């Protein structure tokens, strides 16, 4: 069973609506998922940090959930919705792609713990505490400003409530301080749904360093290796950092926002290519993490539809998982090892998180 814990399909569709039951221009659709052997996909209900500032985060998240639900309902012969590892197991082998929802950015919680229950009831099963900016929950690895030195007081309450609810805590994107505080507080295992190894991208907070991966594993959690070129290839990463230094300076100088900013970035990217990673780079990250913490704490979180043209050669879309499996076979991984990496590990961790929640809930909901 192949489980991928992070794809930005809804975000892609919000930019350009297409029918994902047929072949699309994005990275994911039903025919290519089936060709790639993908069984379970976590679709990210991504909420831009601008909603934290301007308001409307909860409403936007609800609309995005409606969109995902609508697609699954309209194509119930091809997609099934799941809210538990048992659901995923039940749907396995029926020719459908099972969809689970995760929320990328906790902004829609809007400082109210009741909203956690609301989103759990709507089918959200993980929350990435922050995205590219600090929010009311915690600091972000991408944000130069630190607001809370880790978690906010509300963020601390939220972690405890996520444990009680069985909501998976996703530490991808958060600052190192926030990560360590979550690890200290959480009574359930914690997941990085789409992060790779900082070992290959020294000093870059968005990837996890060896000590963090070890701590995550020690507490029963898992790192879901992500595929983006700047995450997995040292040279591509370096060029990307250089490009952003130039782009950030220009954007600040000309106060570019919204579409003007996006257009500028697209134009700059076209004239300043940063090169491509390769599927073998992703296998290197998996291997590095396995050597650090063993086979049981590593999985896959592609970020398909989230990193644009920066996907590695050989991992361009949801039909490409066999290329990655081939790389792992070449490295000497057994079929049993590969089955764990591809999905069994994550499902075990998800079950443990749900199990630990049921122990803490006194009144069944
Ligand atoms: Zn992300």
């Amino acid at each position: 069973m192949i489980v991928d814990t992070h794809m930005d399909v809804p975000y892609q569709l919000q930019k350009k609506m297409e029918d994902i039951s047929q072949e699309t221009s994005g990275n994911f659709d039903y025919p290519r998922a089936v060709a790639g052997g993908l069984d379970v996909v976590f679709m990210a209900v991504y909420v831009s940090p601008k909603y934290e500032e301007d308001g409307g985060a909860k409403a936007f998240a609800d609309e995005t959930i409606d969109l995902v639900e609508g697609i699954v309902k309209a194509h119930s012969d091809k997609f099934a919705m799941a809210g538990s590892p048992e659901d995923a197991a039940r749907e396995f082998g029926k020719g459908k792609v099972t969809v689970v929802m995760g929320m990328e950015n906790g902004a829609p919680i809007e400082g109210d713990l009741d909203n956690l229950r609301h989103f759990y009831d709507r089918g959200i099963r993980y929350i990435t505490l922050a995205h590219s900016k600090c929010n009311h929950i915690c600091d972000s690895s991408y944000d130069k400003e630190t607001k809370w030195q880790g978690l906010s007081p509300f963020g601390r309450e939220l972690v405890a409530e996520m444990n009680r609810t069985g909501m998976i805590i996703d530490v991808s994107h958060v600052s190192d301080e926030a990560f360590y505080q979550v690890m200290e507080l959480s009574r359930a295992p914690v997941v990085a749904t789409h992060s790779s190894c900082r070992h290959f991208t020294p000093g870059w907070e968005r990837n996890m360093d060896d000590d963090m991966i070890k701590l995550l594993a020690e507490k029963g959690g898992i790192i879901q290796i992500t595929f983006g070129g700047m995450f997995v290839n040292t040279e591509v990463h370096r060029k990307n950092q250089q490009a952003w230094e130039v782009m950030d300076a220009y954007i600040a100088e000309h106060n570019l926002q919204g579409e003007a900013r996006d257009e500028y970035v697209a134009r700059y990217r076209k004239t300043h290519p940063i090169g491509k990673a390769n599927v073998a780079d992703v296998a290197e990250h998996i291997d590095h993490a396995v050597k650090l913490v063993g086979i049981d704490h590593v999985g896959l979180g592609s970020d398909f539809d989230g990193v644009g043209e920066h996907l590695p050669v050989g991992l361009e879309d949801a039909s490409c998982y066999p290329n990655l499996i081939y790389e792992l076979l070449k490295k000497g991984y057994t079929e049993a090892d590969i089955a764990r990496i591809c999905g069994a590990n994550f499902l075990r961790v998800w079950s443990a998180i749900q199990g630990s929640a049921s122990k803490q809930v006194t009144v069944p909901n």
Side-chain angles (χ1 to χ4, degrees):
M1 186 191 284
I2 300 182
V3 180
D4 189 320
T5 54
H6 195 86
M7 278 195 212
D8 279 307
V9 179
Y11 174 66
Q12 171 71 17
L13 295 176
Q14 280 157 343
K15 285 191 294 187
K16 183 185 178 190
M17 189 49 72
E18 289 183 84
D19 176 4
I20 58 167
S21 74
Q22 313 288 331
E23 194 137 334
T24 66
S25 62
N27 304 144
F28 170 90
D29 50 53
Y30 178 78
R32 283 180 292 166
V34 169
L38 176 64
D39 298 291
V40 181
V41 52
F42 278 71
M43 290 202 184
V45 171
Y46 166 69
V47 177
S48 161
K50 75 172 195 266
Y51 290 99
E52 174 95 12
E53 288 163 32
D54 304 346
K58 186 187 173 198
F60 181 78
D62 273 323
E63 275 171 35
T64 307
I65 294 167
D66 292 342
L67 169 73
V68 176
E69 276 182 346
I71 291 166
V72 172
K73 269 194 198 129
H75 304 285
S76 57
D77 55 329
K78 291 179 174 159
F79 299 109
M81 195 70 99
S84 68
E86 294 75 26
D87 289 349
R90 200 180 318 117
E91 294 297 337
F92 180 59
K94 291 186 184 166
K96 292 185 191 179
V97 175
T98 298
V99 174
V100 191
M101 288 182 286
M103 197 159 80
E104 186 171 29
N105 190 352
I109 298 297
E110 296 185 346
D112 182 348
L113 292 179
D114 287 344
N115 286 335
L116 177 65
R117 189 77 235 177
H118 165 80
F119 285 117
Y120 193 88
D121 290 344
R122 291 222 58 193
I124 296 288
R125 287 297 179 269
Y126 71 68
I127 297 177
T128 316
L129 298 179
H131 186 247
S132 53
K133 292 248 182 271
C134 303
N135 61 15
H136 69 290
I137 298 164
C138 70
D139 293 330
S140 159
S141 61
Y142 279 153
D143 200 335
K144 288 186 182 85
E145 279 169 50
T146 52
K147 195 169 174 186
W148 307 105
Q149 275 72 52
L151 288 164
S152 72
F154 176 75
R156 289 170 175 275
E157 280 179 56
L158 182 66
V159 165
E161 197 61 23
M162 287 172 81
N163 284 167
R164 276 192 286 273
T165 312
M167 185 72 87
I168 298 168
I169 300 170
D170 177 15
V171 289
S172 288
H173 282 287
V174 307
S175 70
D176 284 3
E177 283 176 310
F179 166 81
Y180 281 107
Q181 290 168 17
V182 167
M183 295 311 296
E184 184 81 39
L185 282 171
S186 178
R187 287 184 288 173
V190 167
V191 175
T193 65
H194 59 304
S195 292
S196 291
C197 304
R198 199 179 298 174
H199 174 78
F200 299 93
T201 58
W204 193 46
E205 210 176 347
R206 178 64 184 82
N207 274 344
M208 298 181 78
D209 73 20
D210 291 0
D211 288 340
M212 296 164 83
I213 296 168
K214 282 186 197 161
L215 183 60
L216 194 71
E218 252 168 52
K219 304 237 169 173
I222 187 165
I223 177 169
Q224 303 284 98
I225 297 295
T226 198
F227 301 173
M230 60 283 276
F231 288 75
V232 297
N233 180 290
T234 307
E235 188 57 18
V236 173
H237 173 75
R238 196 184 57 77
K239 284 187 182 154
N240 188 53
Q241 293 299 97
Q242 284 175 346
W244 273 113
E245 264 174 46
V246 176
M247 288 191 286
D248 278 339
Y250 187 92
I251 288 164
E253 192 189 329
H254 295 84
N255 193 26
L256 296 182
Q257 285 171 13
E259 267 177 42
R261 179 187 179 281
D262 296 347
E263 273 167 27
Y264 163 72
V265 170
R267 213 166 47 235
Y268 187 87
R269 287 296 201 190
K270 234 175 225 149
T271 48
H272 300 78
I274 58 171
K276 289 260 183 200
N278 187 283
V279 56
D281 294 323
V282 178
E284 280 299 322
H285 280 251
I286 292 171
D287 198 45
H288 179 78
V290 169
K291 282 183 177 136
L292 273 179
V293 295
I295 194 78
D296 289 326
H297 303 280
V298 186
L300 308 176
S302 64
D303 214 353
F304 283 140
D305 280 337
V307 287
E309 71 276 27
H310 302 297
L311 287 163
V313 174
L315 271 179
E316 290 90 351
D317 61 53
S319 72
C320 296
Y321 298 99
N323 295 337
L324 180 57
I325 291 170
Y326 178 59
E327 292 297 327
L328 294 174
L329 287 168
K330 281 200 288 187
K331 282 186 176 296
Y333 282 77
T334 65
E335 281 188 35
D337 291 340
I338 292 169
R340 286 174 174 178
I341 293 165
C342 284
N345 285 341
F346 176 78
L347 293 180
R348 186 197 71 241
V349 172
W350 190 10
S351 291
I353 293 167
Q354 295 205 327
S356 125
S358 59
K359 278 183 216 136
Q360 294 168 37
V361 173
T362 42
V363 183
N365 201 312

